[in-house]
Amino acid sequence: MAEIHPFYQTHRHAMEAAMRERIDLAEAMLRERTHLSDVDAIRQEVMDEFQIVLTQMPYVGGAASRMSDFFMRLTGFMAISRVLRRHGVPVPVIGEIERETYKAQLLRAPEAERLAAGRQFMSRENQALMREQAARSVTQAHQAEFPEDFVYDFVEPGPQDTFEFGIDYKACGFCKLAACHGDKEILPNICGLDFVAYAARGIRLERTQTLAGGATHCNFRFSRLPSNAKTGS
């Protein structure tokens, strides 16, 4: 069996704990919406599948890359999708369960902590880091070293734009991962988790197209949610 990359191995305990928490949060929905009779067996099957997913996660630079966190936070949902799809659960139903589960998990963190993370994401310092990493991502040297990584441009707002900044993803690490392992059908579920993640941190994400949906790029546009909307709802 393939081995887990040493970088992800150091985070394995936390990722497994997060997966167990997700299944706990999803249990009621699994019983109500999937009509699967043995949820305990599904739980074990998901954790077994997650061990496989861990060996498939691409290394894209470890702590030096902002995209490593994307893989660590979201790739586990591919394990959930794979198992539920094998049991005949419709992909849209899987997506609903995953979004609601992820929202519940994120909202367990204190609001002040989540909003502080959102402010850090929107900060000038983080925007400068994203400009730097975006410029690096499009270089031949970076793509040769990390062929499974995301490739993206940082987007500055124009005079008539209402967003603070944007990212255009021209190549997606999740799309590449899905293409390698037959998961293209469940990609939209992974894409849907983005809105949940940013809203929980007080950030409005606007996106009208995705690579998974056949577009030439994913057009992420970020702005701050009004203070009375910063609940993750």
Side-chain angles (χ1 to χ4, degrees):
M1 185 175 178
E3 295 184 355
I4 302 171
H5 188 279
F7 173 76
Y8 296 125
Q9 184 67 47
T10 63
H11 297 274
R12 182 173 183 170
H13 178 75
M15 286 191 287
E16 290 176 341
M19 284 297 295
R20 287 191 291 269
E21 181 181 57
R22 288 168 185 169
I23 301 171
D24 288 343
L25 291 168
E27 182 172 344
M29 287 181 279
L30 290 172
R31 294 185 187 280
E32 294 169 4
R33 304 184 195 182
T34 68
H35 307 295
L36 296 171
S37 58
D38 192 345
V39 174
D40 288 337
I42 294 296
R43 176 191 302 273
Q44 186 58 54
E45 192 174 343
V46 168
M47 292 308 297
D48 291 345
E49 187 68 33
F50 185 56
Q51 301 309 310
I52 296 172
V53 168
L54 286 172
T55 69
Q56 297 169 345
M57 289 171 64
Y59 178 71
V60 294
S65 170
R66 58 182 287 266
M67 308 316 298
S68 297
D69 186 56
F70 281 64
F71 283 117
M72 289 191 290
R73 285 190 290 109
L74 299 179
T75 312
F77 285 100
M78 297 186 80
I80 297 173
S81 288
R82 287 176 182 176
V83 170
L84 295 183
R85 187 175 57 166
R86 284 201 294 263
H87 285 270
V89 181
V91 171
V93 174
I94 298 172
E96 291 173 3
I97 292 172
E98 290 178 337
R99 287 191 298 274
E100 292 180 36
T101 297
Y102 195 35
K103 178 179 176 180
Q105 186 175 38
L106 292 170
L107 293 185
R108 284 190 162 189
E111 182 180 42
E113 180 180 310
R114 291 186 281 108
L115 298 185
R119 289 192 295 272
Q120 192 283 326
F121 177 81
M122 299 296 292
S123 69
R124 292 182 181 275
E125 292 78 10
N126 192 55
Q127 289 184 46
L129 174 64
M130 285 190 283
R131 285 189 191 92
E132 176 186 321
Q133 295 205 350
R136 186 183 307 130
S137 78
V138 301
T139 64
Q140 290 185 352
H142 182 86
Q143 293 176 34
E145 185 175 5
F146 303 110
E148 298 168 296
D149 199 0
F150 294 72
V151 178
Y152 54 102
D153 293 324
F154 188 92
V155 179
E156 305 284 359
Q160 305 303 316
D161 290 323
T162 58
F163 64 88
E164 294 189 39
F165 67 92
I167 297 287
D168 282 349
Y169 288 98
K170 301 188 292 186
C172 168
F174 287 108
C175 290
K176 296 173 184 179
L177 181 64
C180 287
H181 301 289
D183 294 314
K184 287 185 177 181
E185 184 183 359
I186 61 178
L187 268 176
N189 292 348
I190 302 298
C191 299
L193 298 172
D194 292 324
F195 292 94
V196 175
Y198 287 110
R201 289 179 282 167
I203 300 167
R204 173 186 288 113
L205 166 62
E206 297 177 274
R207 187 181 64 201
T208 61
Q209 62 185 45
T210 62
L211 288 160
T216 56
H217 62 281
C218 305
N219 58 342
F220 285 64
R221 300 294 182 266
F222 301 105
S223 57
R224 299 167 205 261
L225 284 169
S227 58
N228 60 356
K230 294 176 181 177
T231 61
S233 59

